[in-house]
Amino acid sequence: MTTPSTPSPAERKFHLPPVGTFGPFIALLIACTFFALQTDRFLSGENLSLILQQVAVVGVIAIGQTLVILTAGIDLSCGMVMALGSIVMTKFATDLGLPPGIAICCGLAVTMLFGLVNGLLVTRLGLPPFIVTLGTLNIAFAITQLYSSSQTVTDLPDALTWLGNTFGLAGTNVAYGTVLMLMLYGIAWFWLRETASGRHVYAVGNNAEATRLTGIPTHRVLLGVYVLAGLFYGLASLLSVARTGVGDPNAGQTENLDAITAVVLGGTSLFGGRGVVLGSLVGALIVGVFRNGLTLMGVSSVYQILVTGVLVILAVAADQLSRKGVR
Amino acid sequence: MRLNPLLALSAFALLGHASAMAADPPVIGLVTKTETNPFFVKMKEGAMEAAQKSGAKVVASAGKADGDNAGQVTAMENLVAAGAKTILITPSDSKAIVPAIKKARDKGVQVIALDSPADPADATDALFATDNYKAGVLIGEYAKAAMAGKPAKIITIDLLPGHPVGAQRHNGFLKGMGLTTFEAKSNELAKPAEVVCMADGFGDQAKSQTAMENCLQKVPAVDVVYTINEPAAAGVFNALKKAGKEKGVIIVSVDGGCQGIRDVAAGKIAATSQQYPLKMAAMGVEAGIAYAKTGKKASGYVDTGVMLIAKNPVAGVESKDTKTGTDLCWGKK
């Protein structure tokens, strides 16, 4: 899958990052400048904080998705696993009356279990991630609907929605959920960049066979990635519950594609082995900024979809061109 | 004489078949948009219940997601193959489903649209549905009376571009408010000067919350918010509450689901127009049985009724209280 000329992560460290790394930032800056010129409300601290809150769920799902895509895989089940996690958390806390902390842990356990199943099927049976996660997408969706009877879960304890609360910072209200998202990005970024196990993720994505021959336990790395991804989806469940104040069985329907969009816009290669997790945050923000900005301008939501489509193709094209080397 | 086992078997099979035919209740197919939306879950329950009472058999099927036309086409084909003489359908895509409906009708199947019309409406034998324009007018009148003559700044959180139900409720609402608007047949959303922000929430709570937050960034002060349905209204209330602006804003909606009525009782939603999926389904099943017995098909548009539910009534607008709303609501009581 990978070309031999692709530089190993260690080599790349000493070079300037390729345009692909800066591209997403530049696109985000251009979009922000455009909307700031169009409407004077766009650049207010309150509005920017709002955009961060709005992208938090997809943003955190996108961290898990980035890990999977870095290994040259893909996870279609992420949105539905997120929805299942939120239903488990909310129903365990309300119907079963478990303390919120325990209910949250159960939700996280369920999403990690789905990650484990995905990982085992990919590594032990050698099934393609696309197919495995297509299957688990449907399974997670069905369990969510059956367990919730397709009904929204309401009257939640405060602890479940606490992340949706805000605190004042420099005259702006910032949600705790935003802070959690930024922290998670910081941790994932540090882990991927500075630790051996993090570098192994890149190595597996670049060339799994070569990595295995150097003595790195490829399967264990892959399994770990899927379980970790499940953890991030579970944390996204918590953010989703906090944001809407309910357990919504119909959540997560578009989140798998939204998360993949964010990862691709953020410059992570769908072919694996190349990308920066912070890019996915930028990718999620690009989509969020367009939705917010176009509403401020009074433009139909269809244009946001149009722009997103164009940007996705540009991002993949940039990745492909940079792999071939610009002639 | 030894009995030929094969002959005996086929005779038995024939007998079984014949007796099954004699006892076969009329089969009525029900095709909803999804299996998971509580509105359609309730509609299916209503159909099953009505069928049980009168000795008919309802076979239910659905598209995979809202907008899944191909899934509905497959469901219709399967139901015709299964011997359904009447098919009740809630079209996901009012135009795209028409050829499949025509194919079924050509085979003598009675097709009745529930909840949403096909386009053109006469593609089906009959339509049993809420008058969505009227549903909009009712909440518009309520909001106008509640504003007591003061000019209103209005935000609308709509369904999605080009959807007839979304346009009818939106335009009907503006009509009730006494503002410039389009007539019931239009698929375009009117935008008089009083509407300060229009955004699409896709009938989804989280997306509607995002849409409302963005609208509040555009226009900090608002008096009236129209929402396409109650999940959207819940999202709007969340957005207002987080911005500390929920006081004095009139949120109106359409649907009348049990959760929505609870939100009316809690004061989150000022008023909602309640519709009756159970009734639509029951009427559809009755029409199916009538066709099986007499060969007479249903025809035309039948309004299944809509009622304004409000916690605080306003002068000059007829409304029922939340207790009545709860008695008649669909979803988990």
Side-chain angles (χ1 to χ4, degrees), chain A residues 36 45 115 128 189 192 196 262 282 289 291-293 327:
Chain A
W189 176 78
L192 281 171
V282 176
V289 160
R291 185 171 50 207
N292 175 274
R327 279 158 292 190

Side-chain angles (χ1 to χ4, degrees), chain A residues 111-148:
Chain A
T111 59
M112 286 169 81
L113 180 70
F114 261 85
L116 183 70
V117 170
N118 282 336
L120 284 174
L121 290 169
V122 168
T123 55
R124 299 294 152 189
L125 293 184
L127 304 179
F130 187 92
I131 304 301
V132 167
T133 57
L134 185 62
T136 46
L137 174 162
N138 287 299
I139 295 168
F141 173 74
I143 297 176
T144 305
Q145 297 298 337
L146 291 172
Y147 182 46
S148 67

Side-chain angles (χ1 to χ4, degrees), chain A residues 64-286:
Chain A
Q65 188 69 258
T66 309
L67 297 180
V68 174
I69 290 180
L70 278 176
T71 68
I74 195 146
D75 191 344
L76 299 180
S77 70
C78 57
M80 288 306 165
V81 170
M82 185 277 287
L84 176 59
S86 67
I87 288 297
V88 168
M89 286 175 189
T90 50
K91 279 196 71 99
F92 277 27
T94 54
D95 287 10
L96 301 186
L98 291 179
I102 309 266
I104 291 169
C105 289
C106 293
L108 295 179
V110 167
T111 59
M112 286 169 81
L113 180 70
F114 261 85
L116 183 70
V117 170
N118 282 336
L120 284 174
L121 290 169
V122 168
T123 55
R124 299 294 152 189
L125 293 184
L127 304 179
F130 187 92
I131 304 301
V132 167
T133 57
L134 185 62
T136 46
L137 174 162
N138 287 299
I139 295 168
F141 173 74
I143 297 176
T144 305
Q145 297 298 337
L146 291 172
Y147 182 46
S148 67
S149 317
S150 304
Q151 297 284 344
T152 309
V153 187
T154 52
D155 302 320
L156 307 181
D158 290 341
L160 277 175
T161 54
W162 179 82
L163 282 169
N165 297 345
T166 56
F167 61 94
L169 182 75
T172 304
N173 289 320
V174 181
Y176 291 105
T178 304
V179 178
L180 175 68
M181 172 181 72
L182 295 176
M183 275 168 52
L184 292 174
Y185 267 98
I187 293 165
W189 176 78
F190 180 85
W191 175 64
L192 281 171
R193 192 186 155 87
E194 300 295 336
T195 69
S197 57
R199 301 314 301 182
H200 290 168
V201 175
Y202 282 93
V204 169
N206 258 320
N207 191 330
E209 185 59 12
T211 309
R212 192 182 63 80
L213 292 174
T214 60
I216 295 168
T218 323
H219 279 189
R220 218 187 304 160
V221 174
L222 266 176
L223 199 59
V225 160
Y226 280 96
V227 174
L228 261 183
L231 174 63
F232 283 111
Y233 307 153
L235 293 165
S237 314
L238 190 54
L239 285 169
S240 162
V241 169
R243 186 167 156 66
T244 55
V246 294
D248 182 0
N250 290 318
Q253 309 254 9
T254 57
E255 267 72 357
N256 55 358
L257 296 184
D258 290 353
I260 295 168
T261 302
V263 175
V264 170
L265 285 182
T268 294
S269 170
L270 278 173
F271 306 101
R274 298 176 353 144
V276 185
V277 71
L278 289 181
S280 303
L281 175 58
V282 176
L285 281 171
I286 290 174

